[in-house]
Amino acid sequence: MPALDWLHSWTMESEALKSQVQLATIWFLAARTMAVADGNLPKVKETVAGLYARSILELPEEACVAAKNPENISSLRIEDCLASVRSLPRALGEKIMTGVMMIAYANRAMHPLEVRWASMLASAIGLEENDFQRCCVDARVIATMMNPSAEDEIS
C-alpha cells in the first residue's frame, strides 16, 4: 500500500473514531444525567449505560473509554448535551431517548427530576408525543429484559 493511501486510510479511521467519541460523549452525558436524577448513581446504571452504548448504539470500546475520560466529559454541562442532541440525526436521537428512559425505568419508578430530564431531552430531540411514547415502550421492554424479576414485582 503506497504511503499516501495508508495516510488517507488512517485519516478516515481517525475521523470515524472522533465521530464515535462525540456520540459516546453525548450518550454518556445524557445517561449519567438521568442516572443521578433520582439522587444516587448505582453501579448497575453505569453498567447498563455501557452495555447500551456497545450493543444498541454500536460504539466501539475505544470510543466509550475515550468519551468517559474526565478530560473529555467533566467540563460538559446539561446544556452541552441538549445542544448536541439537537444536531443528531433523528434515528440516533430516538436511540438516545430510549436508552435514557431505560435507565429511568431500571428502578421501576420515576422521580420528578427524571421526568424533567426526559422532557427536556425529548424537546431537544424534537420528539412528538407518539415518538416519545414509542421510545418509552421500547425502553420498558429493554429494562424488563435486563431485570426480569421486576416484572414479577409489578404484577
Side-chain angles (χ1 to χ4, degrees), residues 98 105 132-142:
T98 299
Y105 290 148
F132 178 73
Q133 291 297 327
R134 185 175 23 71
C135 289
C136 289
V137 168
D138 291 348
R140 185 68 169 181
V141 169
I142 296 168

Side-chain angles (χ1 to χ4, degrees), residues 65-150:
V65 169
K68 292 188 285 185
N69 183 325
E71 292 176 10
N72 183 49
I73 201 168
S74 65
S75 66
L76 298 175
R77 301 180 325 235
I78 290 173
E79 296 87 355
D80 299 316
C81 182
L82 294 172
S84 296
V85 296
R86 277 189 187 97
S87 66
L88 290 175
R90 177 65 176 242
L92 273 178
E94 288 183 10
K95 284 183 177 182
I96 297 283
M97 188 77 233
T98 299
V100 164
M101 293 307 297
M102 174 202 62
I103 290 169
Y105 290 148
N107 60 353
R108 299 175 299 281
M110 284 190 73
H111 296 275
L113 288 177
E114 290 174 316
V115 174
R116 173 89 186 228
W117 177 237
S119 174
M120 292 169 61
L121 197 58
S123 178
I125 294 168
L127 293 180
E128 301 204 8
E129 187 175 345
N130 289 337
D131 299 324
F132 178 73
Q133 291 297 327
R134 185 175 23 71
C135 289
C136 289
V137 168
D138 291 348
R140 185 68 169 181
V141 169
I142 296 168
T144 302
M145 288 170 35
M146 293 188 158
N147 186 9
S149 63

Side-chain angles (χ1 to χ4, degrees), residues 46-59:
E46 284 188 271
T47 303
V48 167
L51 289 171
Y52 192 85
R54 299 276 293 141
S55 62
I56 305 297
L57 298 175
E58 300 177 358
L59 293 166

